[in-house]
Amino acid sequence: MQNLKVIFEDNHIIVVEKLPNIPSQSDKTGDVDMLTLVKQYIKEKYNKPGNVYLGLVHRLDRPVGGIMIFAKTSKAASRLSEQVRDKVFKKKYLAVVDGKVDNKKRYFRRLFI
């Protein structure tokens, strides 16, 4: 299992750092994903038999690195999902740019590579 950087954990949520180029959840590539990594971490740390519940509250695009919050209970998943829907839960992005940026532009369009 890859090293997982846990930033915060309690009985309800776990906050981890997602490195760039790791999918948030499984996809057709079969590459290791954050949801699986965090489930495996919980399974090993708490010696849990069987399946581990973990709610995926939000995603980050594969090329993006950053902080992800997962729900460890269905109640936490429901409450966090409601915060995402109600736009209480906010994501902020910091872009690293190579070259000059036009100071007059305030918004950038997301490009898919």
Side-chain angles (χ1 to χ4, degrees):
M1 183 167 90
Q2 295 180 2
N3 291 337
L4 184 69
K5 184 172 182 184
V6 177
I7 296 166
F8 176 82
E9 180 179 4
D10 66 14
N11 291 335
H12 308 284
I13 65 170
I14 183 166
V15 181
V16 298
E17 179 183 357
K18 177 191 156 324
L19 297 176
N21 299 317
I22 298 176
S24 295
Q25 64 189 52
S26 65
D27 62 12
K28 62 184 176 186
T29 66
D31 293 344
V32 67
D33 61 276
M34 290 304 297
L35 189 62
T36 302
L37 286 173
V38 178
K39 279 184 179 183
Q40 187 63 36
Y41 166 84
I42 291 170
K43 187 176 184 76
E44 289 177 11
K45 181 176 181 180
Y46 298 104
N47 198 23
K48 288 191 168 241
N51 291 332
V52 171
Y53 175 83
L54 192 66
L56 180 65
V57 178
H58 69 100
R59 296 183 302 248
L60 292 176
D61 293 339
R62 180 188 279 255
V64 176
I67 305 302
M68 289 190 71
I69 301 172
F70 294 90
K72 293 171 68 177
T73 66
S74 59
K75 189 174 191 176
S78 174
R79 289 180 177 175
L80 288 168
S81 294
E82 182 179 346
Q83 289 180 2
V84 171
R85 274 192 310 277
D86 294 344
K87 300 194 188 310
V88 173
F89 186 103
K90 304 242 187 239
K91 291 186 203 179
K92 291 187 179 184
Y93 290 87
L94 173 67
V96 177
V97 180
D98 183 17
K100 282 188 159 188
V101 176
D102 184 352
N103 287 334
K104 293 178 185 177
K105 288 194 175 188
R106 300 268 186 227
Y107 299 97
F108 293 92
R109 197 177 76 216
R110 184 168 66 163
L111 300 175
F112 294 95
I113 300 172

